[in-house]
Amino acid sequence: MIVALDLETTWLDKTVDRIIEIWLVKFDKKTFEIIEQKSFLVNPEVEIPELVSNITNIFQDDIKDSPIWKDLIPEIENFIWDYPILWHNTQFDSGFLRANWIELKNNIELDTFEFANFLLTEEKSLSLEYLSSSLNLELEWAHRALNDTLATVKLFKFLVDRMKNMSTKEKVFFDYIANISQEKNFKFVYNEILEIKTQLITPTDFIKEVLKSFPDKNRNLTRKIDSEIEIKNIEDFINDNKELELRENQAKMSDYITECFEKEEKIVIEAPTWVWKTFAYLLPSIIHSVKTWEQVYISTSTKVLQDQIFYKDIKFLEEKLNIDFSYTKLKWKSNYISTSSFINFFNDRWQLDRVEATFVLKILFWLTKTSSWELDELDYFGKEYSFINEINSNDFFTFSKENPYTHYEYAQKARKNAKKANIVIINNNILFQDIDWDNSILWKVENLVLDEVHTLEDIVTNSLKKWFNLREFEKNLISLEKILRKNKFVIWWLQQKTDNLMFEMWIIFDTFQLYLNKKLKNNEKYQNLLIEDDFYNDDIDAVDKKELSNIFLLKITEYIDQFSIVPDNVYSAIWRELRFLEDVMKIIKILLDKKDKNKYIKLVSYNDRLGWIILEYTRLNVWEYLNTKLWSKLNSCILTSATLQIGDNFDYITKMLDLENFNFKSLESDFDYDKQSLLFIPDDLWSVKNNLSFVIDFLKDLILVARWNILVLFTAFYAIKETYSRLFPILKKEKINLYAQSIWWWKHKLIEAFKANANNSVLVWTDTFWEWIDIPGSDLKYLIIHKVPFMVPTDPIFKARSTLFKNAFMEYWVPKSILKLKQGFWRLIRTKKDTWIVIFLDDRIYSTSWWEVFYNAFPKNIKIRKSASVDLINILKNK
């Protein structure tokens, strides 16, 4: 027998929130036949939040006469007994039961989330509702305990059937990991349910089996050259391929880029949506590279777009073009799995706990299917994020001669291929991480196409950010000692020097804690602070920051120097840890030195939930860095994006990215905005500063008339939560789906759900992910923007960079928000046949001195109507 159970609670914190419902289902472990069921509504002795009632359909009246939890404990414990327990997401339900006096001492805990985590790596989400839908398990109503419990049983049966059909290699992996795991759950399933006898295999033979999943041969990649190649323009190419549509602006863009390569110039091209700029720059890049034997690097804003170009766009050109060329993609070292590090991960642990065992199985099963060995093909949860840092290729040993698995390291092969191909597809993060690295291969780039350049300020800022916390520092020192012990190498006095170093680090963090205490408000759980002059001038802590820095730098230098005596093989093994200490040295030196304030943005943050202080810095002046490290070293450079101009000029982007030596081109849009679109501005919803209640009332009326294909963009989560609480029960009765960010699922799952049900759905989102959304025009008819997407004035990076402008509001705040606004607007635009309405609810667009600048951000020929909100409702009613 197995007991499946599920809980509904007043919210997510087991230390504060209460159980309001429990369902228990006892079923046969072989046939999955339901034997017995029990359910209880529970009086939590507190009010159920409205949001929770809307999600669970459990209201205060439903539980007012129900027993309290303590009275139910004996009956629940008697039902559970010592049977194995099945649930979806052990951490949540098990945590709540244990916090409510159900101990589960002798019960084997089976978690469908954990099994799905390594068996269903191709799924986009592991939520019970998503898997039930994706696998056709007939979940009637999510977020009621009975339905969730029965769905968990069905999911478990599906996973058991999947395990019964494991490949020979998967069985070897599962068997071995089940036996080196300290948990009973895998062994129970393997032996009691699958009834497979354990096949003993030695660690050596197991490693041999693992290595078969790694590439042991390099793809034969060579750069092609044909100086007599026929110059094919994009118009000829499209005419030869009838499945493509000729776009006039695409041809213009391609011609601009061809000329740029020929003359070794640098150009900025604003290319609106529907130009299909990817083909416009790929075709001339391929021709230039093959004709001249020069490499061309294509850099995108995200890894998703990078993969799309590699697997779809350039592959299409390879098939259709009568040109022999080679291409590859390259990501940062940490994106690739390290063969040596992964083997060490499970070899160095005496026994794997359940999280470690699940993680190793996930990687092993994924290795049987992957062709890229890129870790970002998978999703990760909880502790798995820290495990990733232990198995990726971002260390010296992966690339060292001492690595016994060097021929199996795909990161090495990827970097070698990048030196040989005609076209190398990268992303903006690796571009700036690599050129700032000692062993950079990208600093030799001569020809660069850089897409989505409007994000470049933020990309560079984040790529160059260095940070650490006390916990990571301590873990690093422990890891050093552990590696030395493993290699049987002894350094005298190491422990004493480690203790001394930790003591000095505690003093430094105490200093920053005092600074935070002075700045933090009592009710703030998280704070991200800019380290300003008062940190150095403040006498509260009576600490001389320069002296503190000198003492620590002396101690850590002595500590690092002692490792100079270790043999090469040991040094390779500890390279990652030593590199971390060198980064810490630099961070501390910069943060404690007042002189560097004009060069760096210095930050200290605190998370109350985690109890961590984080120290970090990044570059203040992005444009100087770009010119020194990149622009000045290139022969030709093409920068492009759909949104670069403010009004009718490139002044803002020119200053922010130091583009004085670039030429500028702007392509006209192919859309007829006068016929296809309307910008509606209600003038009766009062001030946007305190009108959320009026806005929600307007949204209700609008949605009930328009019904679907609606995207609402807010600038704050509290607005989303309030909107969801008020509108969900109303729209539910009308059978209109309301998908809200931070309420349901992960963001990519929300997008998929909206796309699948766009014709009866509303999506509510924050401006944080405006650019992340990509929805076909047929699925989106109405875009509602609550506020101008200004940056938060207290954001420390934004605050520091604002000091570089005479009039920060008009020169930095407004242009930056306009580019973001334009990105939100372009979410609607996909084809010439679409029609759409943009509704802008911020009264400041007509009531301030700077309103005209924002009006000019919209297309010139778009129809704009400013009137009472009811007028729009009437227009839609009469459509």
Side-chain angles (χ1 to χ4, degrees):
M1 297 292 182
I2 298 174
V3 174
L5 65 83
D6 189 72
L7 307 173
E8 298 298 346
T9 63
T10 55
W11 202 234
L12 306 177
D13 189 341
K14 65 185 178 183
T15 64
V16 177
D17 297 306
R18 307 290 182 85
I19 296 170
I20 56 176
E21 185 181 31
I22 180 170
W23 265 94
L24 304 105
V25 175
K26 194 177 294 180
F27 66 96
D28 186 274
K29 68 181 181 182
K30 298 288 181 63
T31 66
F32 290 86
E33 179 186 353
I34 305 298
I35 306 300
E36 186 180 358
Q37 301 182 41
K38 276 188 182 292
S39 68
F40 304 97
L41 284 171
V42 185
N43 188 338
E45 301 179 281
V46 296
E47 289 289 321
I48 301 176
E50 184 181 1
L51 177 61
V52 173
S53 290
N54 289 335
I55 294 174
T56 64
N57 216 32
I58 300 174
F59 297 87
Q60 204 69 35
D61 286 345
D62 298 326
I63 52 87
K64 65 181 180 180
D65 297 323
S66 299
I68 63 173
W69 178 257
K70 286 184 179 180
D71 294 340
L72 295 171
I73 290 176
E75 191 170 355
I76 292 171
E77 287 182 329
N78 184 59
F79 190 91
I80 291 174
W81 196 239
D82 60 357
Y83 296 121
I85 298 177
L86 176 72
W87 34 36
H88 191 79
N89 191 353
T90 299
Q91 286 185 328
F92 181 82
D93 291 317
S94 175
F96 260 94
L97 283 184
R98 286 185 165 89
N100 287 274
W101 311 290
I102 304 289
E103 294 189 6
L104 308 175
K105 287 182 178 179
N106 301 315
N107 304 83
I108 294 173
E109 298 181 39
L110 305 172
D111 188 350
T112 48
F113 182 93
E114 289 180 349
F115 285 98
N117 195 13
F118 67 86
L119 290 170
L120 305 177
T121 54
E122 69 281 0
E123 295 292 344
K124 295 179 180 178
S125 168
L126 296 185
S127 74
L128 182 61
E129 184 173 359
Y130 177 84
L131 290 176
S132 297
S133 173
S134 177
L135 304 175
N136 298 314
L137 300 181
E138 300 178 0
L139 178 60
E140 295 177 7
W141 174 253
H143 297 292
R144 274 307 297 261
L146 171 60
N147 297 289
D148 286 358
T149 308
L150 295 176
T152 302
V153 176
K154 290 180 181 180
L155 176 58
F156 187 56
K157 184 180 186 303
F158 179 92
L159 294 168
V160 168
D161 290 341
R162 165 68 176 85
M163 286 184 276
K164 288 178 180 177
N165 292 295
M166 287 187 294
S167 66
T168 302
K169 181 177 284 191
E170 288 174 336
K171 286 180 181 178
V172 171
F173 290 161
F174 192 102
D175 186 17
Y176 185 84
I177 298 305
N179 279 286
I180 66 171
S181 170
Q182 63 187 0
E183 301 291 337
K184 299 177 182 178
N185 56 336
F186 294 128
K187 293 177 185 176
F188 174 81
V189 170
Y190 201 69
N191 297 323
E192 299 293 324
I193 297 181
L194 300 178
E195 296 183 326
I196 300 175
K197 291 184 178 180
T198 298
Q199 304 293 319
L200 296 178
I201 182 173
T202 66
T204 301
D205 288 339
F206 180 71
I207 290 173
K208 288 180 181 178
E209 201 63 40
V210 172
L211 289 175
K212 292 178 183 178
S213 297
F214 285 92
D216 60 352
K217 292 182 180 179
N218 198 4
R219 182 174 144 211
N220 187 20
L221 203 62
T222 57
R223 199 179 314 167
K224 311 296 183 180
I225 183 169
D226 181 0
S227 59
E228 303 300 321
I229 185 175
E230 177 187 354
I231 303 299
K232 181 185 285 287
N233 64 41
I234 199 163
E235 293 180 65
D236 294 336
F237 174 72
I238 291 175
N239 288 331
D240 291 341
N241 293 273
K242 301 303 180 183
E243 65 267 44
L244 300 178
E245 180 180 354
L246 180 62
R247 303 173 184 183
E248 182 180 350
N249 281 323
Q250 189 182 49
K252 285 183 181 180
M253 182 175 179
S254 184
D255 290 342
Y256 290 148
I257 294 171
T258 299
E259 183 179 6
C260 179
F261 281 132
E262 290 174 350
K263 296 182 178 181
E264 294 190 348
E265 294 179 336
K266 300 178 177 67
I267 191 172
V268 177
I269 304 173
E270 185 178 61
T273 301
W274 213 68
V275 166
W276 205 359
K277 60 183 184 292
T278 307
F279 272 18
Y281 59 65
L282 278 178
L283 185 60
S285 296
I286 293 167
I287 292 172
H288 176 76
S289 179
V290 173
K291 186 175 178 65
T292 64
W293 209 63
E294 294 178 4
Q295 286 186 296
V296 178
Y297 280 74
I298 311 290
S299 187
T300 68
S301 62
T302 66
K303 288 181 283 189
V304 173
L305 291 175
Q306 179 185 10
D307 288 339
Q308 178 181 309
I309 292 175
F310 181 78
Y311 290 113
K312 183 180 177 182
D313 298 331
I314 202 166
K315 191 172 185 64
F316 177 84
L317 290 173
E318 181 185 34
E319 294 171 357
K320 300 295 183 178
L321 276 174
N322 188 26
I323 299 175
D324 187 16
F325 69 97
S326 59
Y327 64 94
T328 189
K329 65 171 174 171
L330 180 66
K331 295 183 179 178
W332 184 238
K333 298 176 296 176
S334 59
N335 285 101
Y336 300 103
I337 187 170
S338 166
T339 310
S340 56
S341 297
F342 178 57
I343 290 172
N344 289 336
F345 182 87
F346 57 78
N347 266 0
D348 289 349
R349 289 162 166 79
W350 290 105
Q351 282 189 314
L352 301 176
D353 64 28
R354 67 187 303 138
V355 179
E356 293 167 340
T358 304
F359 174 74
V360 172
L361 281 170
K362 175 159 76 171
I363 299 298
L364 289 170
F365 277 48
W366 165 70
L367 285 172
T368 66
K369 296 174 284 190
T370 186
S371 59
S372 73
W373 295 272
E374 294 170 10
L375 290 165
D376 57 8
E377 288 184 346
L378 297 170
D379 292 321
Y380 302 99
F381 311 94
K383 291 182 180 179
E384 291 182 340
Y385 287 103
S386 64
F387 297 159
I388 287 299
N389 292 328
E390 296 186 51
I391 70 166
N392 67 38
S393 296
N394 192 20
D395 68 347
F396 180 78
F397 189 70
T398 298
F399 298 88
S400 72
K401 295 179 181 179
E402 286 77 21
N403 181 356
Y405 308 109
T406 185
H407 295 298
Y408 297 92
E409 299 290 3
Y410 192 78
Q412 289 193 35
K413 303 179 192 304
R415 295 182 78 81
K416 288 176 182 177
N417 283 339
K419 296 177 181 179
K420 299 177 182 178
N422 290 98
I423 305 296
V424 184
I425 304 163
I426 59 176
N427 61 72
N428 296 346
N429 281 301
I430 184 182
L431 174 64
F432 296 106
Q433 286 175 324
D434 192 272
I435 62 176
D436 209 47
W437 184 44
D438 295 340
N439 296 318
S440 169
I441 64 171
L442 299 185
W443 68 271
K444 297 179 181 178
V445 173
E446 295 178 334
N447 306 292
L448 175 67
V449 177
L450 212 159
D451 202 352
E452 303 297 333
V453 73
H454 67 278
T455 65
L456 211 52
E457 178 197 345
D458 296 331
I459 292 287
V460 176
T461 299
N462 291 324
S463 296
L464 302 181
K465 190 179 287 184
K466 299 287 186 182
W467 68 273
F468 81 102
N469 59 43
L470 192 59
R471 182 171 176 266
E472 293 298 319
F473 184 74
E474 187 172 15
K475 280 175 60 179
N476 189 77
L477 297 181
I478 293 171
S479 178
L480 263 171
E481 295 177 12
K482 183 179 177 181
I483 295 170
L484 291 176
R485 284 197 304 271
K486 179 185 174 183
N487 287 275
K488 299 178 181 178
F489 190 85
V490 178
I491 295 181
W492 299 108
W493 314 115
L494 178 61
Q495 186 59 55
Q496 182 179 337
K497 290 183 178 180
T498 300
D499 292 342
N500 291 340
L501 192 59
M502 277 302 304
F503 178 76
E504 295 298 331
M505 185 59 81
W506 272 108
I507 295 175
I508 289 173
F509 270 80
D510 282 346
T511 301
F512 284 103
Q513 180 70 70
L514 288 170
Y515 185 64
L516 275 168
N517 291 344
K518 179 184 176 183
K519 296 282 190 176
L520 275 173
K521 297 177 182 177
N522 292 331
N523 62 342
E524 287 183 300
K525 299 293 184 182
Y526 178 82
Q527 183 72 40
N528 196 13
L529 288 177
L530 179 66
I531 299 174
E532 300 181 89
D533 287 345
D534 60 345
F535 172 74
Y536 306 98
N537 301 332
D538 199 341
D539 295 328
I540 288 179
D541 53 19
V543 174
D544 185 318
K545 308 302 189 299
K546 187 173 182 179
E547 182 182 354
L548 185 64
S549 175
N550 290 339
I551 292 173
F552 175 77
L553 293 176
L554 177 63
K555 295 280 187 185
I556 196 170
T557 301
E558 290 176 350
Y559 187 85
I560 293 173
D561 287 347
Q562 68 186 326
F563 295 100
S564 61
I565 63 173
V566 304
D568 288 347
N569 65 314
V570 180
Y571 189 86
S572 295
I574 62 174
W575 179 87
R576 192 198 311 242
E577 284 72 16
L578 294 180
R579 182 64 181 257
F580 175 85
L581 293 178
E582 290 171 358
D583 285 343
V584 168
M585 283 180 65
K586 187 172 183 180
I587 294 169
I588 294 299
K589 183 178 180 181
I590 288 173
L591 263 58
L592 292 178
D593 188 351
K594 184 178 180 179
K595 295 179 181 178
D596 283 328
K597 71 175 185 178
N598 294 324
K599 188 175 181 182
Y600 299 106
I601 300 172
K602 308 175 190 183
L603 309 168
V604 56
S605 59
Y606 176 72
N607 188 310
D608 181 63
R609 183 176 66 85
L610 299 175
W612 295 344
I613 291 177
I614 298 173
L615 304 180
E616 57 188 323
Y617 76 88
T618 189
R619 294 264 182 169
L620 175 63
N621 196 321
V622 169
W623 44 92
E624 285 183 1
Y625 176 86
L626 283 169
N627 189 42
T628 304
K629 284 282 191 175
L630 194 58
W631 307 149
S632 62
K633 300 179 183 297
L634 296 169
N635 289 341
S636 55
C637 180
I638 295 93
L639 308 182
T640 186
S641 177
T643 54
L644 292 175
Q645 293 191 95
I646 305 297
D648 58 358
N649 65 76
F650 291 91
D651 294 350
Y652 171 71
I653 205 77
T654 299
K655 179 172 183 177
M656 290 306 300
L657 305 181
D658 195 4
L659 305 179
E660 294 294 341
N661 296 321
F662 282 70
N663 299 318
F664 295 87
K665 299 290 183 180
S666 178
L667 302 173
E668 294 295 326
S669 173
D670 288 322
F671 296 113
D672 187 344
Y673 292 104
D674 183 56
K675 294 180 179 179
Q676 290 183 258
S677 59
L678 168 68
L679 173 60
F680 187 87
I681 304 171
D683 60 5
D684 59 348
L685 296 182
W686 304 94
S687 171
V688 76
K689 296 178 181 179
N690 53 12
N691 71 342
L692 183 58
S693 180
F694 296 102
V695 165
I696 295 174
D697 288 338
F698 169 69
L699 289 176
K700 179 196 69 175
D701 295 339
L702 176 70
I703 293 169
L704 291 177
V705 174
R707 305 291 296 179
W708 43 68
N709 304 115
I710 300 169
L711 171 62
V712 185
L713 295 175
F714 284 106
T715 58
F717 282 112
Y718 81 87
I720 289 180
K721 191 172 181 178
E722 183 66 20
T723 301
Y724 185 86
S725 294
R726 285 183 51 185
L727 296 187
F728 179 83
I730 298 171
L731 299 184
K732 180 182 172 184
K733 291 178 182 178
E734 297 292 325
K735 296 184 179 180
I736 299 173
N737 298 315
L738 181 60
Y739 298 116
Q741 185 185 353
S742 81
I743 305 295
W744 290 77
W745 306 317
W746 297 311
K747 58 180 182 287
H748 66 266
K749 170 53 189 159
L750 278 172
I751 297 295
E752 294 302 320
F754 180 79
K755 288 180 180 179
N757 304 283
N759 287 336
N760 66 333
S761 298
V762 177
L763 179 62
V764 184
W765 209 254
T766 66
D767 68 325
T768 310
F769 297 107
W770 281 17
E771 296 177 47
W772 193 87
I773 299 175
D774 187 12
I775 300 171
S778 58
D779 291 339
L780 197 57
K781 300 295 183 185
Y782 304 94
L783 173 65
I784 303 167
I785 300 174
H786 182 216
K787 290 183 180 180
V788 172
F790 283 121
M791 291 289 291
V792 179
T794 55
D795 176 85
I797 293 176
F798 184 68
K799 183 179 179 181
R801 207 157 273 156
S802 295
T803 63
L804 300 174
F805 299 85
K806 290 182 178 179
N807 183 349
F809 182 77
M810 292 304 298
E811 294 178 42
Y812 186 44
W813 295 30
V814 168
K816 194 172 180 69
S817 64
I818 284 176
L819 290 185
K820 196 168 189 178
L821 180 64
K822 290 174 74 173
Q823 282 293 318
F825 179 78
W826 290 117
R827 298 303 93 199
L828 280 171
I829 302 173
R830 286 296 179 267
T831 76
K832 289 183 177 181
K833 297 178 182 179
D834 294 329
T835 58
W836 60 88
I837 297 176
V838 180
I839 303 142
F840 200 84
L841 305 179
D842 195 333
D843 65 294
R844 292 174 294 182
I845 201 168
Y846 60 81
S847 63
T848 61
S849 59
W850 39 265
W851 66 269
E852 192 171 357
V853 183
F854 279 88
Y855 264 82
N856 292 335
F858 293 101
K860 292 179 180 178
N861 59 335
I862 190 173
K863 287 183 294 188
I864 300 177
R865 178 167 177 175
K866 181 168 73 74
S867 63
S869 54
V870 70
D871 292 341
L872 178 62
I873 305 299
N874 291 330
I875 290 172
L876 296 179
K877 284 180 178 179
N878 296 323
K879 280 184 67 174

